[in-house]
């Protein structure tokens, strides 16, 4: 089955390069470093006995920051390799870690590319994050002799059903993992049902609860809030196509009763920044752009946060947080970042990527679900009229984060146990 799967990947190569070129029309970084997708140009033995951490993009990278910092401190003798698949994830890795880690793109799911990659970087352990389940990557890593671990694993019911359709491909892949640190007991059952060895699957919670708000983040939020001044502020974070319109409609409705309210709008992908700015102007709203270092004035109604890597800080500026990817069927984004700041959290109904986390926040009374622009506007109006309710929901959100910390330490212990066999 994996042979057939690999043949499909090779047949898709022209289309993969075409996709890179097309995406590069709006985000030129996709057209750069394309050789890394094929693992071309690497010298065998570039690294020796490395520890390889694979994320995807910005979200997974940011969630992995505390783990990577600990790995750098605990295993200084092992070169640390961090891979992503997107330019935005790449930018975050380079900004956060500089030359303390080696960073390249993860190669495509081609046996020849993966073999070249492994000969170059020689990992003794491979840690993949969340749902990065790739049959050829897993097979190549084990053939190379590396330990293989899933960290912060999640698996929605929808994804589980999808994987279940290909047992001859998925079951051997799952059996190759030496350890799986997953978020919930329900997800543990799903991974075991897909073929993972039961004794190797550990439900330890989500490392996203172990987020930290360091001094740099807090100081950045304080400085921006001082520039904004004393006015109501809400943030719409990680919005996708189809969400900006209802967000702006809700904001216009809110302005009718609270005309000084400021919306901080943060589109999910940088190639959308200019289009969203144009949409804001078309709606007749006063716009300031962070990328242009615009000053927020009394006439500014929307502050477009068109920069990368600042979302955690931006949550600290707002009084209320709406998290996107949820009014459209994307599956939601990280609800814990605003919760960690003690902000009331509002989201749409599409939360299948964060079922457990949203359930905890909902049970604590820290989460409000809205279906559309009208419901969003009504919710925001209610929260801004009632400071006591905002405070109560924010405190409840922060309490959920504090009560569920500890997954990072459990995951690091599992990593330590795996590395004993290779160090």
């Amino acid at each position: 089955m994996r042979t057939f799967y690999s043949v499909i990947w090779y047949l898709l190569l022209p289309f993969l390069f075409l996709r890179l070129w097309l995406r590069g029309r709006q985000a030129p970084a996709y057209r750069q470093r394309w050789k890394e997708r094929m693992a071309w140009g690497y010298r065998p033995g570039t690294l020796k006995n490395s520890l390889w951490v694979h994320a995807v993009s910005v979200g997974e990278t940011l969630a992995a920051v505390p783990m990577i910092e600990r790995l750098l401190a605990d295993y200084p003798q092992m070169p640390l390799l961090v891979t992503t698949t997107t330019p935005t994830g790449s930018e975050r890795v380079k900004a956060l870690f500089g030359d303390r880690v080696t960073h390249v793109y993860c190669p495509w799911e081609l046996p020849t590319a993966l073999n070249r990659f492994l000969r170059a970087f020689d990992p003794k352990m491979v840690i993949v994050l969340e749902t990065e389940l790739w049959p050829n990557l897993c097979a190549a890593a084990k053939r190379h002799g590396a330990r293989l671990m899933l960290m912060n694993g999640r698996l929605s019911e929808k994804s589980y059903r999808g994987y279940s359709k290909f047992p001859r491909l998925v079951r051997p892949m799952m059996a190759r993992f030496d350890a799986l640190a997953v978020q919930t007991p329900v997800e543990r059952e799903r991974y075991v049902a897909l073929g993972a060895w039961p004794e190797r699957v550990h439900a330890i919670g989500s490392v996203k609860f172990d987020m930290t708000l360091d001094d740099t983040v807090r100081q950045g939020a304080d400085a921006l809030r001082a520039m904004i001044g004393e006015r109501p502020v809400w943030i719409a974070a990680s919005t996708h196509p189809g969400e900006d319109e209802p967000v702006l409609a809700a904001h216009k409705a809110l302005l009718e009763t609270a005309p000084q309210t400021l919306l901080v709008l943060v589109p999910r992908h940088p190639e959308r920044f200019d289009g969203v700015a144009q949409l804001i102007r078309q709606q007749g709203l006063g716009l300031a752009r962070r990328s242009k270092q615009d000053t927020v004035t009394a006439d500014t109604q929307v502050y477009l946060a068109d920069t990368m890597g600042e979302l955690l800080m931006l949550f600290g500026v707002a009084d209320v947080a709406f998290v996107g990817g949820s009014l459209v069927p994307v599956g939601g984004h990280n609800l814990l970042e605003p919760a960690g700041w003690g902000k009331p959290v509002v989201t749409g109904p599409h939360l299948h990527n964060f079922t457990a986390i949203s359930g905890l926040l909902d049970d604590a009374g820290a989460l409000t679900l809205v279906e559309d622009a009208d419901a969003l506007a009504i919710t925001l109006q209610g929260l801004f009229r009632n400071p006591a309710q905002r405070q109560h929901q924010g405190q409840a959100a922060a309490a959920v984060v504090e009560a569920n910390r500890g997954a990072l330490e459990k995951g690091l212990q599992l990593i330590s146990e795996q590395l004993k066999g290779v160090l």
Side-chain angles (χ1 to χ4, degrees):
M1 182 66 178
R2 195 163 55 82
T3 299
F4 178 68
Y5 168 80
S6 299
V7 169
I8 292 175
W9 267 92
Y10 283 111
L11 293 175
L12 286 174
L13 265 181
F15 301 98
L16 293 173
F17 281 114
L18 176 62
R19 183 172 181 267
L20 281 184
W21 185 83
L22 291 173
R23 295 199 72 176
R25 296 171 66 180
Q26 290 186 309
Y30 277 98
R31 295 181 181 177
Q32 302 165 2
R33 297 166 54 193
W34 58 269
K35 290 183 179 181
E36 294 179 23
R37 312 286 186 172
M38 296 294 295
W40 284 333
Y42 296 138
R43 178 176 53 83
T46 298
L47 297 181
K48 288 288 187 181
N49 301 323
S50 70
L51 180 56
W52 175 14
V53 176
H54 174 52
V56 182
S57 190
V58 175
E60 294 82 6
T61 300
L62 293 177
V65 168
M67 180 188 74
I68 293 173
E69 291 288 1
R70 284 289 300 274
L71 294 175
L72 286 167
D74 295 348
Y75 304 99
Q77 76 279 21
M78 296 186 75
L80 189 58
L81 170 69
V82 181
T83 60
T84 65
T85 61
T86 68
T88 52
S90 174
E91 291 171 6
R92 282 296 85 210
V93 171
K94 290 185 285 189
L96 289 165
F97 303 110
D99 59 5
R100 293 187 295 155
V101 305
T102 298
H103 166 67
V104 294
Y105 286 136
C106 183
W108 282 327
E109 182 76 337
L110 304 166
T112 51
L114 288 162
N115 290 338
R116 284 191 294 268
F117 186 88
L118 292 166
R119 285 196 298 270
F121 297 107
D122 187 33
K124 293 304 175 188
M125 184 171 182
V126 181
I127 304 171
V128 297
L129 293 171
E130 298 202 6
T131 54
E132 282 300 279
L133 304 173
W134 297 101
N136 281 340
L137 186 155
C138 294
K142 294 306 295 180
R143 188 167 56 248
H144 185 75
R147 295 297 178 98
L148 180 63
M149 179 174 170
L150 178 69
M151 185 70 167
N152 207 41
R154 58 181 174 86
L155 194 65
S156 68
E157 176 65 25
K158 179 180 178 181
S159 296
Y160 168 70
R161 291 197 303 268
Y163 283 117
S164 298
K165 296 177 182 178
F166 305 98
R168 293 178 59 192
L169 183 65
V170 172
R171 293 189 71 83
M173 173 184 68
M174 298 307 308
R176 289 187 173 98
F177 278 92
D178 297 289
L180 300 94
V182 306
Q183 297 185 19
T184 67
V186 170
E187 283 158 320
R188 180 186 183 278
E189 293 175 4
R190 290 172 184 162
Y191 279 105
V192 171
L194 290 177
W197 292 30
E199 64 271 23
R200 297 179 180 180
V201 190
H202 310 269
I204 66 170
S206 172
V207 299
K208 291 183 177 180
F209 285 104
D210 294 293
M211 60 170 291
T212 57
L213 300 172
D214 60 31
D215 290 342
T216 301
V217 170
R218 292 184 180 277
Q219 290 166 6
D222 290 343
L224 180 55
R225 185 70 205 217
M227 187 263 281
I228 291 171
E230 294 296 324
R231 55 190 294 189
V233 180
W234 71 288
I235 185 171
S238 299
T239 59
H240 286 253
E243 290 188 307
D244 303 295
E245 292 85 355
V247 162
L248 292 174
H251 187 55
K252 291 176 77 171
L254 185 60
L255 290 173
E256 294 177 3
T257 58
Q260 292 303 308
T261 306
L262 178 71
L263 164 62
V264 178
L265 180 54
V266 193
R268 177 69 175 178
H269 297 110
E271 58 266 29
R272 298 184 57 241
F273 289 162
D274 289 340
V276 174
Q278 183 178 3
L279 178 64
I280 294 167
R281 294 190 187 97
Q282 289 173 348
Q283 295 288 324
L285 295 165
L287 170 67
R289 298 184 65 165
R290 184 161 178 78
S291 65
K292 299 184 182 300
Q293 299 181 333
D294 293 342
T295 299
V296 175
T297 67
D299 296 326
T300 304
Q301 296 166 309
V302 181
Y303 187 56
L304 181 61
D306 51 352
T307 55
M308 295 303 297
E310 294 191 306
L311 182 56
L312 181 59
M313 179 275 290
L314 292 166
F315 279 123
V317 175
D319 302 303
V320 179
F322 168 79
V323 181
S326 58
L327 287 176
V328 292
V330 170
H333 289 296
N334 189 0
L335 304 170
L336 296 178
E337 290 184 340
W341 276 101
K343 308 296 181 180
V345 184
V346 183
T347 184
H350 300 285
L351 294 170
H352 53 263
N353 290 332
F354 292 88
T355 303
I357 290 172
S358 62
L360 289 171
L361 291 169
D362 191 31
D363 291 344
L367 184 67
T368 304
L369 270 66
V370 297
E371 294 283 343
D372 52 27
D374 290 340
L376 178 58
I378 292 169
T379 296
L380 292 169
Q381 289 166 349
L383 287 169
F384 279 115
R385 279 198 298 259
N386 193 335
Q389 183 183 356
R390 286 205 314 272
Q391 182 180 21
H392 173 74
Q393 289 188 211
Q395 289 174 343
V400 169
V401 174
E402 289 301 318
N404 288 276
R405 291 184 184 275
L408 177 61
E409 291 299 328
K410 296 173 184 176
L412 289 167
Q413 180 59 41
L414 290 172
I415 294 172
S416 176
E417 292 170 2
Q418 292 301 315
L419 285 174
K420 288 177 182 177
V422 297
L423 292 180

